[in-house]
Amino acid sequence: MQRASVIQEEWWEQRAEATWGNAPAGQDVVALRAENDQLRRALAGRAVIDQARGMVMVLTPCRRGAAGDLLVDVSRQCDARLPEVAAALVGAWEGKPLPGRIQRELCRTLRRFHAENQGCDSRQPGGSSR
């Protein structure tokens, strides 16, 4: 614990020296808090996207890249952000209704995906199925 407090004290001293003569420390704190909030939102969005990607991988079945591409296609067709589409898909899994436009585009994209058979694990390299 002693080492951690010494490092923290040194960091604060260096930070104080770095901000001296520049922007006021209050502005730095506000900027750091805004950046921290932005990073937290980004991480939360990534978690939802990864969860939705896993759901698509189980349902189709396909590889991670193909599942991500499928979600991106749905978000583009719906003109919605990828985290919004992912959150709607995860919410539908939890019993919430899937918005109509996302449901329509998801059905279209899944039909196209299965027609093209992109990245599907059900086919062997020689074209035969198990």
Side-chain angles (χ1 to χ4, degrees):
M1 190 58 140
Q2 177 65 22
R3 179 163 168 73
S5 62
V6 170
I7 290 173
Q8 187 175 11
E9 288 174 16
E10 290 174 1
W11 182 84
W12 279 110
E13 289 172 9
Q14 290 174 356
R15 181 71 183 146
E17 290 174 14
T19 59
W20 186 262
N22 294 337
Q27 289 178 348
D28 286 344
V29 170
V30 170
L32 288 172
R33 284 185 180 155
E35 183 179 1
N36 193 14
D37 289 342
Q38 180 183 10
L39 291 172
R40 285 180 196 268
R41 285 192 304 271
L43 283 175
R46 293 302 314 168
V48 171
I49 292 168
D50 285 342
Q51 190 174 5
R53 184 181 291 142
M55 291 169 53
V56 170
M57 289 170 64
V58 168
L59 294 173
T60 52
C62 64
R63 290 185 164 78
R64 179 179 170 86
D69 292 344
L70 191 141
L71 287 172
V72 168
D73 286 347
V74 171
S75 72
R76 286 181 183 157
Q77 295 298 321
C78 291
D79 195 27
R81 295 177 52 239
L82 184 57
E84 293 171 11
V85 172
L89 190 59
V90 171
W93 190 268
E94 295 170 348
K96 298 177 184 173
L98 191 62
R101 64 188 172 104
I102 293 177
Q103 185 176 8
R104 284 188 300 277
E105 291 306 325
L106 183 61
C107 286
R108 286 182 191 148
T109 304
L110 284 171
R111 275 192 225 111
R112 187 172 59 245
F113 176 82
H114 284 295
E116 295 170 357
N117 208 11
Q118 292 179 347
C120 190
D121 288 338
S122 63
R123 296 188 66 181
Q124 295 297 317
S128 63
S129 59
R130 291 184 197 187

